[in-house]
Amino acid sequence: MQDFVQHLINGLSLGSIYALIALGYTMVYGILKMINFAHSDVYMVGAFAAYYVARWLGIDAQPGLPTLITLLIASMVVCSVLGLLIERLAYRPLRNSPKLNILITAIGVSLLLEYGGQVVFGADPKVFPEVMKDFVIFSAGGVELKSFDVTVLIVSLLAMLGLQFLIHKTKVGRAMRAVSSNISVASLMGVNPDRIIAFTFVIGSALAGVGSVLVGMKYPKIDPLMGMMIGLKAFVAAVLGGIGNVGGAVIGALIMGLSEEMVVGYLSSTYRDALAFGILILILIFRPAGILGKYSVEKV
Amino acid sequence: MKRLLLSLVLVLPLLAGCTKKDNVITIGEYDSMTGSEATFGLSSNKGVRLAFDEINAAGGIKGKKIDLKAMDDQGKNEEAASAVTRLITSNKVVAIIGGVASGRSKAAAPIAQSHGVPFVSPASTNPDVTKIGDYVFRVCFIDPFQGAVMSKFSSETLKIKKAAVLRDVKNDYSVGLADAFVEDFKKRGGEIVSDLSYQSGDIDFKAQLTQIRSKNPEAIYVPGYYTEVGLIAQQARQLGIKVPLMGGDGWDSDKLSEIGKEAVNGNYYSNHYTTESTEPAVTEFIKKFKAKYNETPDALAALGYDAAKILAAAIERAPDLSGKAIRDELAKTKDFAGVTGKITLNENRDAVKSAVVIQVDGKNRKYISTVAP
């Protein structure tokens, strides 16, 4: 029983990390109907931005709230600018081309960031600065709840609620939904689609920045390829929850984290990655729209 | 005229190559200078360079200077293979000092073997590496020995009866050590309560560790590389696992403490040499290394140094610079007084020598004991 509860905590904690990244995939998909495969590499750049800023300011060995906030801001700013640049330089020129071209471009941008990252940052892993001290919040019967686990879960839930609010209750959100349902009609109604799409990229990338600092805090090893696997898993999580659906991304990610944890805990760790993609295949066969997604009929 | 010029342009570099070849001996080296095992490659490379600089300063081999061509394999098998192909076909090296990681050596050594170029690995401990062929050598001990060393140490010194194993299934080295440990530990009457795996590149190991925790082992054998072991140690301590972790020479890097912080302290691993040794060969080497690089050499640097020195000695003894002649002399290496001990290459082209057990203590490495083969 004790182990099961521990697995549950570990799984939720892993799932909430996937959730932070899955939100970025789902947002861009929701607006543009494209999968931004470079998203997880923006997250990687965010981690390195925080690493270099911490070293530059000399706060890499001073854990505490000021360090956390500084690094969060640094990482979010760098990620937003990068997201904006990618959108402007790689995706906007292709806005009216076939979906496949945009998809291939996204993969290209992703590879560029991964291998460019190896050139710029070096391929050897770096140690993320100590941002906060991890402490026990709650302990019972050998099961411990740590502050990092709770922080990541709360941040991803807050991000989800924040996004829901932004999309459904604000003027920008209404414009986003308009662009999502039909770009040309939205622009006829006085919405500037370029600006809204750029805004979507900024929010999504800033979330990746938040994710990178939180993950770096929990797993203090960063390298230029760190986004690869976590990005794929988060993408599967977004599809599982219903891509384009903000709540679905979080639910999908938590399910992914929990099932991975249980598979490793009770079966074998070799099935860990196979499971993620097994889930993807099953979802695509039996419920292609995902758990919370709605079927949409395309009119021809 | 045009054709004459063109042929001159084509032929000149060849001529230049010939004249250059007369007064230098080109030796190739490839290693992981970047990538997830970068500190191994960088250290080994520093050791090799130190050895050749010394030899060159003393007049070189057979009156010729050594020209070292070093290449980076980025910790990838395919890069290792292409680096060795380039070294042999375009740099025309007479011998190769090979990769540190066993996986990289397995990818590259067959190429050296098929071209008849002697290949000396400083630190590839997987048994299969030298089975590739009679041109492949190594100056380190092999995994079954290293795994058995920790098994012997844990049951005799730490008096451990129940151990758990956490191995990196993607890594030949880790699997080899784990198998050897399990076999030897059972032979000594110990019990393996849990034998789990992870994959290099993973960052979350809590599922495995939670399962291990429920089996209450007295020690956990984690024969992986420092990158993952640092995280594993941290997560083990977070889950309240207090028993010692044990590993092999893949732990030997300063990054282990950087990543694992205080969680790695007090844990044990087997290694090739200790900086606390008072042997003159070791103290002399440490002094020279510190003077050149301003840092304390780790085991990989010592092995790189030994590999280079053994190769140089074999070339010096060889009647000519052919691959066959150098190979035959390498095979005759006996009682070579290296930094990592007295090195004799046996009929399998493996070094036979003892290992040391080290305890991690912050950035320091405490010498615990020596285990003979």
Side-chain angles (χ1 to χ4, degrees):
Chain A
M1 186 60 202
Q2 176 203 336
D3 287 335
F4 182 75
V5 177
Q6 186 71 58
H7 282 311
L8 218 58
I9 293 175
N10 298 347
L12 284 175
S13 147
L14 187 63
S16 40
I17 284 173
Y18 292 152
L20 271 173
I21 301 163
L23 283 171
Y25 279 104
T26 235
M27 262 194 86
V28 170
Y29 185 87
I31 308 299
L32 271 183
K33 299 280 176 289
M34 71 159 281
I35 295 154
N36 178 17
F37 273 114
H39 182 69
S40 60
D41 303 299
V42 172
Y43 147 88
M44 175 275 290
V45 173
F48 275 93
Y51 169 81
Y52 284 112
V53 165
R55 294 223 342 201
W56 181 56
L57 294 176
I59 52 173
D60 45 345
Q62 294 170 16
L65 209 55
T67 309
L68 176 67
I69 292 170
T70 317
L71 295 190
L72 275 176
I73 292 173
S75 174
M76 284 167 77
V77 168
V78 171
C79 286
S80 306
V81 171
L82 182 63
L84 211 55
L85 275 177
I86 293 174
E87 195 276 325
R88 186 71 189 80
L89 300 176
Y91 301 147
R92 195 181 293 182
L94 293 173
R95 181 106 5 113
N96 298 318
S97 355
K99 285 268 152 63
L100 189 63
N101 298 14
I102 306 183
L103 185 75
I104 292 168
T105 308
I107 294 173
V109 173
S110 164
L111 291 173
L112 178 74
L113 287 177
E114 280 163 14
Y115 293 93
Q118 292 200 342
V119 173
V120 178
F121 309 128
D124 58 321
K126 305 254 184 314
V127 182
F128 201 76
E130 207 174 350
V131 181
M132 288 280 267
K133 287 263 181 252
D134 196 10
F135 54 88
V136 180
I137 289 186
F138 169 80
S139 163
V143 178
E144 280 183 352
L145 200 57
K146 293 286 191 114
S147 61
F148 283 0
D149 299 334
V150 180
T151 316
V152 183
L153 183 63
I154 291 178
V155 169
S156 47
L157 289 178
L158 279 181
M160 179 190 88
L161 291 177
L163 282 183
Q164 289 284 28
F165 178 80
L166 180 83
I167 293 167
H168 294 285
K169 303 279 187 232
T170 62
K171 209 174 154 196
V172 187
R174 198 189 311 156
M176 286 165 92
R177 281 179 287 145
V179 171
S180 160
S181 77
N182 192 322
I183 291 191
S184 46
V185 177
S187 62
L188 287 178
M189 297 294 151
V191 175
N192 181 344
D194 281 345
R195 195 173 293 163
I196 294 300
I197 289 166
F199 180 73
T200 311
F201 271 84
V202 167
I203 299 283
S205 307
L207 273 176
V210 175
S212 69
V213 173
L214 292 178
V215 175
M217 181 170 98
K218 219 171 156 249
Y219 309 108
K221 184 195 86 176
I222 59 173
D223 63 80
L225 301 184
M226 65 190 274
M228 255 178 181
M229 211 32 156
I230 213 166
L232 280 174
K233 300 262 179 78
F235 166 67
V236 175
V239 174
L240 172 62
I243 193 151
N245 186 308
V246 170
V250 173
I251 292 175
L254 293 180
I255 292 176
M256 277 281 296
L258 278 172
S259 43
E260 258 190 44
E261 178 76 19
M262 295 301 168
V263 163
V264 179
Y266 294 105
L267 288 172
S268 161
S269 74
T270 12
Y271 297 134
R272 179 176 225 154
D273 297 339
L275 173 89
F277 302 104
I279 289 180
L280 180 65
I281 292 168
L282 288 181
I283 276 287
L284 291 178
I285 293 174
F286 294 107
R287 198 177 157 78
I291 296 172
L292 292 188
K294 289 188 186 71
Y295 288 99
S296 59
V297 182
E298 286 219 358
K299 290 191 190 112
V300 184
Chain B
M1 190 60 199
K2 225 180 196 173
R3 191 173 293 171
L4 185 69
L5 267 178
L6 189 71
S7 51
L8 263 179
V9 167
L10 286 175
V11 167
L12 268 176
L14 293 177
L15 289 173
C18 285
T19 48
K20 205 178 152 223
K21 221 177 165 185
D22 286 341
N23 45 37
V24 294
I25 295 176
T26 314
I27 293 177
E29 189 212 346
Y30 76 91
D31 239 317
S32 313
M33 321 272 188
T34 56
S36 59
E37 65 218 19
T39 73
F40 295 159
L42 291 171
S43 285
S44 169
N45 177 252
K46 281 177 187 166
V48 171
R49 271 189 294 153
L50 178 65
F52 286 157
D53 285 354
E54 263 175 39
I55 293 169
N56 281 344
I61 306 174
K62 296 179 193 286
K64 294 176 185 177
K65 295 269 189 264
I66 300 170
D67 179 23
L68 178 69
K69 286 263 177 286
M71 290 206 178
D72 176 21
D73 66 26
Q74 301 167 25
K76 294 177 191 150
N77 290 343
E78 60 279 11
E79 289 292 331
S82 87
V84 166
T85 310
R86 261 178 299 160
L87 285 171
I88 294 173
T89 54
S90 41
N91 296 100
K92 310 278 182 223
V93 297
V94 299
I96 286 173
I97 296 179
V100 163
S102 298
R104 252 55 77 214
S105 288
K106 276 194 198 172
I111 298 164
Q113 174 72 31
S114 66
H115 284 84
V117 174
F119 180 101
V120 184
S121 167
S124 294
T125 46
N126 187 286
D128 292 344
V129 170
T130 46
K131 286 182 191 151
I132 287 167
D134 58 348
Y135 278 76
V136 185
F137 298 83
R138 73 175 118 216
V139 300
C140 53
F141 45 64
I142 57 172
D143 291 340
F145 172 64
Q146 209 184 165
V149 163
M150 280 327 270
S151 156
K152 190 174 173 193
F153 171 75
S154 56
S155 52
E156 285 180 6
T157 311
L158 300 178
K159 310 273 179 232
I160 279 163
K161 289 266 160 281
K162 279 161 59 180
V165 174
L166 185 56
R167 59 173 86 198
D168 177 355
V169 284
K170 248 187 180 172
N171 188 341
D172 294 341
Y173 158 82
S174 179
V175 172
L177 255 69
D179 285 344
F181 178 85
V182 169
E183 195 191 313
D184 195 81
F185 196 72
K186 281 184 183 155
K187 235 189 256 163
R188 292 172 185 278
E191 186 195 351
I192 302 290
V193 290
S194 179
D195 189 346
L196 299 177
S197 59
Y198 65 94
Q199 292 180 42
S200 21
D202 281 358
I203 52 172
D204 191 283
F205 309 92
K206 286 209 169 145
Q208 292 96 321
L209 290 167
T210 302
Q211 207 187 330
I212 287 176
R213 188 179 70 178
S214 69
K215 300 275 170 44
N216 291 314
E218 295 163 282
I220 308 173
Y221 190 54
V222 194
Y225 285 161
Y226 57 90
T227 32
E228 279 85 24
V229 171
L231 291 178
I232 291 175
Q234 233 179 23
Q235 291 173 21
R237 297 298 178 247
Q238 278 167 11
L239 285 169
I241 299 175
K242 297 200 174 62
V243 299
L245 305 183
M246 303 183 299
D249 56 341
W251 283 29
D252 193 44
S253 164
D254 280 346
K255 288 244 162 140
L256 179 75
S257 309
E258 271 180 55
I259 298 172
K261 307 224 165 52
E262 57 271 24
V264 291
N265 291 345
N267 299 319
Y268 305 94
Y269 66 94
S270 51
N271 207 354
H272 304 271
Y273 97 121
T274 164
T275 49
E276 288 178 27
S277 165
T278 50
E279 292 275 328
V282 178
T283 49
E284 183 70 6
F285 166 70
I286 293 175
K287 206 177 78 195
K288 280 187 281 195
F289 196 91
K290 274 187 176 160
K292 188 166 161 90
Y293 302 109
N294 200 20
E295 58 183 273
T296 311
D298 56 19
L300 277 301
L303 286 169
Y305 184 82
D306 280 354
K309 279 288 176 82
I310 286 177
L311 178 61
I315 297 176
E316 180 73 70
R317 291 196 305 266
D320 55 73
L321 288 178
S322 70
K324 175 90 175 61
I326 297 172
R327 191 223 86 86
D328 289 348
E329 286 305 323
L330 266 174
K332 287 181 201 153
T333 301
K334 199 164 179 271
D335 288 335
F336 185 92
V339 175
T340 59
K342 262 210 165 41
I343 299 168
T344 297
L345 297 180
N346 67 8
E347 69 283 3
N348 299 324
R349 298 167 302 282
D350 299 329
V352 182
K353 57 186 186 184
S354 49
V356 292
V357 176
I358 307 271
Q359 187 174 33
V360 186
D361 177 21
K363 288 254 160 180
N364 299 320
R365 302 285 186 256
K366 238 172 30 203
Y367 168 74
I368 301 291
S369 66
T370 302
V371 183

